[in-house]
Amino acid sequence: MRTDTTELDAAIRTAGLRVTGSRRAVLDALHEHPHARADEVLAIVRDATPSASLQSVYNALNDFTASGLVRRIEPAGHPMMFEVRIGDNHHHLVCSSCGTVVNVDCAIGHAPCLEPRDPQGFRVVTAEVTYWGVCAACSAVSDAVSDAGSATESWRGMTSP
């Protein structure tokens, strides 16, 4: 357990849920691994609780999401992920190469995304913005491969004396 159990227990109780070892382990895993998928949470939880099941992880995640303790995000083409950063106006950057997801604070003002030009009768409650791109690590690999290809092409173009 990496997060203080007193804090975890208080958060679970404040969300109106009963504290169980499984819920505590799942919440701890999410604190240590933001944007984790359910299968990733299970792998982490099984280190401390070998009898944990994927169903028990999903049960805890669903309870946490329903109570507002955890936020579920679903970037297009990716399995759902869960995070404990809630209650603020932040968005996500997703690497289209490796799938890494990171938080990014809203770029403009308090919550500009909640004020569409024409809400067409809707009362907007939340907005989700996902930025897509290539992370620094994948860019570095891509640049290295590109540089290696350029060096090979230069070598092939050389003529012998």
Side-chain angles (χ1 to χ4, degrees):
M1 191 110 352
R2 292 167 286 283
T3 306
D4 179 20
T5 58
T6 306
E7 289 178 28
L8 295 173
D9 292 356
I12 293 168
R13 283 190 189 102
T14 300
L17 301 169
R18 189 171 58 89
V19 175
T20 65
S22 178
R23 284 179 175 159
R24 184 186 296 130
V26 168
L27 190 56
D28 185 44
L30 291 175
H31 275 280
E32 295 299 318
H33 300 277
H35 311 114
R37 300 183 318 260
D39 61 321
E40 293 171 326
V41 171
L42 176 62
I44 297 161
V45 167
R46 276 202 173 145
D47 285 342
T49 312
S51 63
S53 68
L54 187 57
Q55 186 60 52
S56 66
V57 168
Y58 270 115
N59 289 345
L61 292 170
N62 287 331
D63 291 344
F64 293 162
T65 301
S67 68
L69 185 58
V70 164
R71 179 178 175 194
R72 180 178 61 220
I73 62 170
E74 299 179 62
H78 292 264
M80 61 183 152
M81 299 172 200
F82 299 86
E83 66 179 345
V84 292
R85 183 173 171 185
I86 57 170
D88 68 345
N89 187 37
H90 78 278
H91 307 300
H92 298 97
L93 290 164
V94 180
C95 179
S96 55
S97 183
C98 70
T100 294
V101 178
V102 296
N103 293 324
V104 61
D105 290 329
C106 188
I108 305 171
H110 175 61
C113 303
L114 295 180
E115 298 174 15
R117 183 171 295 168
D118 179 8
Q120 301 182 38
F122 281 74
R123 183 178 59 87
V124 178
V125 177
T126 188
E128 294 185 16
V129 175
T130 303
Y131 298 98
W132 295 86
V134 180
C135 70
C138 289
S139 290
V141 169
S142 177
D143 291 347
V145 168
S146 179
D147 290 346
S150 296
T152 301
E153 290 303 315
S154 297
W155 177 79
R156 287 185 183 156
M158 297 176 75
T159 56
S160 308

